[in-house]
Amino acid sequence: MTGMHQSKQEYIRAIASGTLNYYSAEHEQMEIKVCGNHATLTGRSRVTATVFGGGRHIWRLQLHFNLSKEEGR
């Protein structure tokens, strides 16, 4: 939401300490493209959250995953 890069541990610490709070997520779009044993998933969501002392806001977020099939799964 802020563009800040964090490790997984830093992200979890921010949630545990209450400096990053998620309230809801509405998924607006999911696009999946499959090519052989590989796929990409792009999702767009509206997330309600409080981030690092700021007020509660709705954030429009996009995520992108690269996926691959291994050993038939």
Side-chain angles (χ1 to χ4, degrees):
M1 289 176 275
T2 65
M4 182 175 85
H5 292 273
Q6 297 172 285
S7 69
K8 181 179 178 180
Q9 292 171 335
E10 290 170 325
Y11 175 73
I12 291 170
R13 268 197 303 271
I15 293 170
S17 71
T19 58
L20 181 57
N21 295 292
Y22 291 97
Y23 302 102
S24 67
E26 292 181 42
H27 307 297
E28 296 181 328
Q29 182 180 359
M30 293 277 181
E31 180 180 319
I32 301 169
K33 294 180 182 178
V34 179
C35 183
N37 287 332
H38 300 279
T40 58
L41 180 145
T42 302
R44 291 178 181 83
S45 302
R46 289 187 310 164
V47 176
T48 304
T50 302
V51 180
F52 301 111
R56 187 171 171 157
H57 296 284
I58 296 173
W59 303 81
R60 292 186 177 274
L61 303 179
Q62 177 174 300
L63 56 89
H64 185 80
F65 287 101
N66 291 310
L67 309 159
S68 61
K69 184 185 272 190
E70 295 181 6
E71 298 179 15
R73 301 188 317 168

